[in-house]
Amino acid sequence: MGDYKPQEIEAKWQKRWEENRVFETESDPTKKKYYVLEMLPYPSGTLHMGHMRNYTIGDVVARVKRMRGFNVLHPMGWDAFGLPAENAAIKNHTHPRVWTNKNIAEFQRVLRRFGFSYDWRREISTCEPEYYRWNQWFFLRMLEKGIAYKKKSRVNWCPKCCTVLANEQVVNGGFCWRHEDTRVEAREIEQWFLKTTAYAEQLLEDLKELEGGWPDRVIAMQRNWIGKSIGAKVWFVIDEGSDSSGAESQASAAKTVGAKAPTPERKIEIFTTRIDTIYGASAVILAPNHPLVAELVASKAEDSEAGRKPGHYTAEGRSRKLAEMKVSSVKGEDIATAEKDGFFTGRYAVNPFNEEKIPIWVGNFVLMEYGTGAIMAVPAHDERDNEFAVKFGLPIPVVVSRVGETMPPERAEILTEYGMSVNSGPYSGLTSQEAIERMAADAEKGGFGNKETIFRLRDWGISRQRYWGTPIPVIYCEKDGLVPVPDKDLPVVLPANPKLTGEGQSPLATDPEFVNVKCPKCGGPARRESDTMDTFVDSSWYFYRYCDPHNEKAPFDPAKVAYWFPIDQYIGGITHAILHLLYSRFWCKVMRDLGLVKHNEPIGRLFTQGMVQKGGVAMSKSRGNVVGAEEMAQKYGADTGRIYTLFAAPPEKDLEWSEDSIEGAWRFLNRVYRLVDRRANSLKSTDSAKARKEPIYTEKEKELLRKAHQALRRVTQDFEGRWHFNSAIAQIMELVNAIYAAEPLEEGVRPEVQKEVLELVTLMLAPMTPHLAEELWEMLGHANGLWTVNWPEFNTELATEDEVEVPVQVNGKVRGRVTVAAGAAQEEVLEKAKADAGIAGHLDGKALRKVVFVKDKMLNLVVG
RNA sequence: GCGGGAGUGGCGGAACUGGCAGACGCGCAAGACUUAGGAUCUUGUGGGGUAACACCCGUGGAGGUUCAAGUCCUCUCUCCCGCACCA
């Protein structure tokens, strides 16, 4: 007899698993496969119980699937490039590689301490040239296909990261995803992009394949992010004649545009989803950084209303106003809440549908990044336009009324819904939907517009002006221009000893040995690209590399990937709902088009687990509320930590850490241990199979086996179906309680039945508390490890109750219960119910009008 | 504003396709064993009510469907998350 000593037990079994290479897997097309994966960690800080919850869920699934006979791939690796490593290295005067590798060693040690069933031979680290050379290889393929391209554009700059961010890395309407208190700034920088927009339609369309397998909200978030809008573009011709007093400036402007006379029509292209409201347009409004604005503003057209009406200025006033607006837009002031602002350019444009001249304005609420950077303002039917029009005194003509209303609605109401067109020339009387169709078609026929679908999704900006990332493999030659690094020269390795300052310049650019190269084409002097890639490139395809982690000739062997993919179950935090998961889907489609993979989507099922919180907020080092994984393992053992996180809440919900509740988990495991320990010796040589071969059961045996198989049925369902680990554990607890209640087992329960029941407890616990289960299994006299044992089949017959207690309702209220043999017919139950004094009292003197009977479940007597 | 989700005891949470609401655990209370116990075992524990039953109320709120509603329908309130002057 001994105590449960998790420290000893856990070390012992981890060693055995390793010696027996229990978790090592090879692809084998003759076996059914299962690929379960947790998102790879960024090795920084300490592993806390929030991480462990994630890995525990994955590990339970991996172990259950193994017990069910699947060939299971369950790997682990490190998202090892990234800014924190570089910043920490600067701070501590060390090298990012040193800092990172130290963390990796630490992470690995703690993960091993928890006994997760990883195939460690497949471990990858994205900062190794063996890995990132394939980032470069993929980049070159994308360059060839025109998917990777370089352009100068307005980008998001985080002053703290000192680098550009992708749109997906800008959160909360303008803040850095790493520094949630820091606003991003707009900068004009030349950088590399991957053309995610080329896949916008597919990324949206294929979300349908993911329905059912991915959480609804992740699908919704991606759909939202891609942001498809179906509408039309319409061209408004700029009225040149209106600029009577600006001939001089117009001539100079004409130089950049074309000949003055005959003036080729210059147009402002607007995008709208409501072309049906175009008769109600009272202005064209441009984004402050729209390319035409500078020129329109510079024209000398004086505004006769200048100074008398809001938004009207002289030419100088307009320039000043524009400069002001640009400054606030660069600062990234909160555009969602900022007051509408703008000014009249002094110029007009012609509505192509009714030839009406309407003023051209500049407005702070029009975004260059969306649509065409220009809109038509329809103040009667759009809230924002209305606000603008009211502030600046623009007319508000009504062109839509509710269907069935003969008179246009009062102007006070802004009708944004569909209705019926009014005051819209030949389109009056059509429904909005009809008008949209007809008018878009007519615009196309008339040559002044077309149907158009636009997306909110932007191309993925991947250039980063930092050191600790994958060098972008291109060279700039004075003679040959942009030259890709030839495949044979890959990898382009990071220089070993960079000068890291953390200031806004690519560290690689300061290293002459790295930068100065010979042009691969002409051999002349050339410069290397000195930016590195966004680290989300690394994580966009890493799960493919696990299938073939040491391949030196290719990113992976397509045959191996074809066997393992798609990922059967991916597990991670909701944080990556857009970033990592969208990029990964994009990468998969690119690889498919390169002929490397055959599937459209890399991840079949996605599970987003809840956070582990303490004090109501997620555990994080900076908040100082972490429960360290290692301390936890030292105090209670890994198994207690594992079962606690599984039991305390369903896996998709947030979990508030409770020191009291973990004591409960610890007590439970001790209870199980004692149960086995107190009779381990006497049962060692007992053959539990005998219990199954000679099924002559005493009442007590029957009762125990029934409980055991009922639990097994529920636990099996909970593991296979919706991952109700908490209720699975509750079932096992009930069984354990029942065994305690049946003590002393020696009275009335044969040894083989005792052993059978204890083995079932052990096997059910095995995926969740694998160390303890192995130990119990051994204590029960088994020399083979649990890894050789299959998941037990539950026996319906054993699980079935002989007798059931049927609640009896009178008029829908439970008034009593009768005990009958399972499966008893209505007549029998009814008879017993009538005989029951308590129930009879409620029936007294009333006519029985209806009887509802559900076998073994309930009897309802309707009287009255 | 748009989209997604959640409201059940003192707490975490159960309840498969409508069929005994509160499984299991924590906490709390009582008892047993003990020199002692913050160990272990047993019992009790939604609220009201009763000597004890009976009975009444009860899954955010208001209606509805049904023999029967935490579960389905309509309306509504609160909270959390994501996106957001997206034209």
Side-chain angles (χ1 to χ4, degrees), chain A residues 755-768:
Chain A
K755 186 158 171 175
E756 169 79 358
V757 171
L758 293 177
E759 282 181 359
L760 285 173
V761 171
T762 303
L763 290 170
M764 283 190 271
L765 282 172
M768 299 185 285

Side-chain angles (χ1 to χ4, degrees), chain A residues 798-810:
Chain A
L798 286 179
T800 308
E801 303 274 356
D802 297 344
E803 288 190 326
V804 287
E805 200 179 54
V806 178
V808 179
Q809 302 178 342
V810 178

Side-chain angles (χ1 to χ4, degrees), chain A residues 142 148 239 330 411 495 525 848:
Chain A
M142 292 191 203
D239 179 41
V330 166
R411 185 170 294 171
L848 185 59

Side-chain angles (χ1 to χ4, degrees), chain A residues 131-139 470 533 537-538 541:
Chain A
Y131 183 82
Y132 69 71
R133 69 173 294 176
W134 302 111
N135 286 346
Q136 295 170 339
W137 185 87
F138 279 120
F139 179 88
T470 306
M533 295 182 200
V537 168
D538 310 340
W541 68 280

